[in-house]
Amino acid sequence: MTENHQGNVPSRQRKRFPGISSRAYEHPADRSALVALRKLSGFDTAFKALSGLLPERSLRLLFLSDSVRVSDAQFSQLNDMLRDACYILDLEKVPSMYVTQDPKPNAMCIGMDEPIIVVTTGLVELLDEEEMRAVVGHEVGHALSGHAVYRTILLFLTNLALKIAWVPLGTVAITAIVTALREWFRKSELSADRAGLLVGQDVQASMRGLMKIAGGNHLHEMNVDAFLAQADEYEKAGDLRDSVLKILNVLPRSHPFTTVRAAELKKWSESRDHQRIMDGHYPRRSEDKDTSVTDAFRESAGHYADTVRTSKDPLMKLVGDIAGGAGDLAGDLGGRLRSRFAGQGNGQAGGQGAKEADGKTGDGQSEG
């Protein structure tokens, strides 16, 4: 069941973002993919037609029967955080939330028709109130972006790939789709981290939460600056072999590495884009229908070009050097060709002029 958030206000004074579009906080790669998908005629209808095949009803019954549903009567503090998050991001219907017994700290937002949020006991026990608020905002961000639909499909296809592993061609096809969805979902996690920051409005709490997910409940033994330094070291350390290993390590994961998430979020928190949102300047949902796919892809391409240009990763630096070298070579060759053709053109023009002059002289002499 869902409920309306009207009448609920945050437990402490936080800025609210009426009518905010998920485009405001979406990672460029995530946004371009979603804009393209949403623009496809009948795309959502086609995917929702798969609901008979997807285990959504089964999942809902499973959580209802074997987990604790968050409400005013159960996990009331989590319930307040959930309503706060929906109020701040102006999500009209509050998704159902469940706490499920699992020592591994995790959370997810799934569902085809209506999103549901699931958090594990390991996560609830690990994080303090402000850290947990960022996580709840993260999941509400998934719901606002429409990520729950694609996350459900990813879960379904992952399970299906395991069941038909003995069918060579079938598993290859599904694995390709799952790999692509995982790459998108890793980018969607960066988007949702930003939503969590907009809800919690406490970057230190967001950083602490990510550190705890990586290193457990030993906050007195950890340091945010040192944790972020790990991300920098991870990016620039090693040689090309290490770059390839990084890619192989991340491929099976649904989430980016925690140090990378922390560094990305810290960078965004200090950006002009974040400040503009906090000042009340952001895209509205009412404008979503007018969103340009071309602009979204152009922004995504610009983001990746900037990433390659500024990356400290050996492979990305090589790509940038090759691209830059190719550009310089193309420019040099273009310049040489232009000069050569220009020279040939001038020579041909001069020769033709001389011939015409000679012809005229000869003609004059014969006539005289």
Side-chain angles (χ1 to χ4, degrees):
M1 295 293 292
T2 57
E3 54 183 306
N4 196 287
H5 69 61
Q6 301 301 326
N8 298 300
V9 295
S11 56
R12 73 168 170 83
Q13 190 63 37
R14 291 180 176 84
K15 291 186 178 180
R16 184 174 180 246
F17 310 103
I20 189 171
S21 168
S22 58
R23 291 181 293 115
Y25 58 79
E26 283 167 352
H27 187 278
D30 172 26
R31 187 187 314 144
S32 63
L34 286 179
V35 167
L37 290 174
R38 290 165 182 160
K39 285 288 183 179
L40 290 177
S41 178
F43 174 81
D44 285 339
T45 302
F47 263 122
K48 288 182 179 181
L50 292 172
S51 60
L53 299 175
L54 298 174
E56 181 179 11
R57 294 179 68 86
S58 175
L59 285 172
R60 289 182 182 278
L61 289 171
L62 178 63
F63 289 122
L64 187 64
S65 64
D66 205 33
S67 302
V68 176
R69 185 164 61 192
V70 172
S71 65
D72 286 330
Q74 301 184 118
F75 287 100
S76 59
Q77 189 176 33
L78 273 180
N79 196 44
D80 289 341
M81 291 182 194
L82 177 61
R83 288 187 293 195
D84 284 359
C86 292
Y87 180 79
I88 290 170
L89 294 181
D90 199 16
L91 185 64
E92 183 178 356
K93 289 187 175 181
V94 180
S96 296
M97 177 187 275
Y98 294 89
V99 176
T100 188
Q101 174 63 33
D102 186 343
K104 185 176 180 179
N106 198 11
M108 61 180 174
C109 181
I110 56 174
M112 294 288 287
D113 296 317
E114 291 183 354
I116 60 174
I117 296 172
V118 181
V119 297
T120 65
T121 51
L123 189 67
V124 173
E125 293 163 5
L126 178 65
L127 304 181
D128 67 23
E129 180 179 349
E130 292 305 309
E131 295 157 6
M132 193 68 198
R133 188 181 300 278
V135 169
V136 172
H138 174 113
E139 299 305 326
V140 170
H142 276 313
L144 183 58
S145 290
H147 291 161
V149 172
Y150 314 119
R151 173 62 165 168
T152 305
I153 294 167
L154 177 58
L155 286 173
F156 172 70
L157 290 178
T158 302
N159 292 332
L160 182 61
L162 294 174
K163 291 178 182 178
I164 66 167
W166 57 275
V167 183
L169 293 179
T171 190
V172 167
I174 291 178
T175 299
I177 297 172
V178 167
T179 300
L181 277 171
R182 278 180 177 158
E183 170 59 19
W184 160 75
F185 195 76
R186 285 190 290 271
K187 296 299 186 291
S188 77
E189 286 297 298
L190 300 178
S191 298
D193 282 343
R194 296 175 178 184
L197 179 59
L198 292 178
V199 168
Q201 299 176 22
D202 184 345
V203 68
Q204 291 302 313
S206 294
M207 294 293 107
R208 292 198 310 269
L210 289 169
M211 280 199 310
K212 285 184 176 181
I213 290 172
N217 194 16
H218 303 281
L219 195 58
H220 62 287
E221 297 286 353
M222 295 184 280
N223 178 276
V224 170
D225 292 334
F227 189 66
L228 292 172
Q230 287 181 229
D232 186 62
E233 182 179 346
Y234 170 78
E235 182 182 6
K236 66 184 180 183
D239 53 23
L240 293 179
R241 292 170 299 177
D242 294 302
S243 297
V244 173
L245 289 174
K246 292 176 189 177
I247 295 171
L248 294 176
N249 284 341
V250 80
L251 280 179
R253 294 174 60 93
S254 62
H255 290 59
F257 294 116
T258 47
T259 57
V260 175
R261 290 173 64 184
E264 283 273 350
L265 185 59
K266 186 70 162 58
K267 180 180 178 181
W268 187 72
S269 72
E270 297 168 348
S271 70
R272 184 170 177 269
D273 288 342
H274 175 252
Q275 188 56 55
R276 282 181 57 81
I277 295 173
M278 298 305 294
D279 290 340
H281 305 293
Y282 51 81
R284 261 62 175 184
R285 257 166 267 167
S286 58
E287 304 163 353
D288 283 350
K289 64 181 182 299
D290 300 320
T291 303
S292 167
V293 178
T294 302
D295 289 345
F297 277 114
R298 186 181 296 116
E299 185 175 353
S300 180
H303 166 79
Y304 278 117
D306 185 62
T307 298
V308 170
R309 185 173 59 254
T310 60
S311 176
K312 301 171 186 175
D313 180 86
L315 181 59
M316 289 297 100
K317 288 175 69 176
L318 177 62
V319 170
D321 291 342
I322 291 173
D328 292 342
L329 179 61
D332 184 51
L333 287 174
R336 290 185 182 184
L337 288 173
R338 283 192 296 271
S339 298
R340 183 175 179 180
F341 282 122
Q344 288 179 347
N346 291 336
Q348 290 172 352
Q352 183 65 36
K355 289 178 181 178
E356 290 174 351
D358 289 341
K360 287 176 182 177
T361 304
D363 290 344
Q365 288 175 344
S366 61
E367 288 174 356

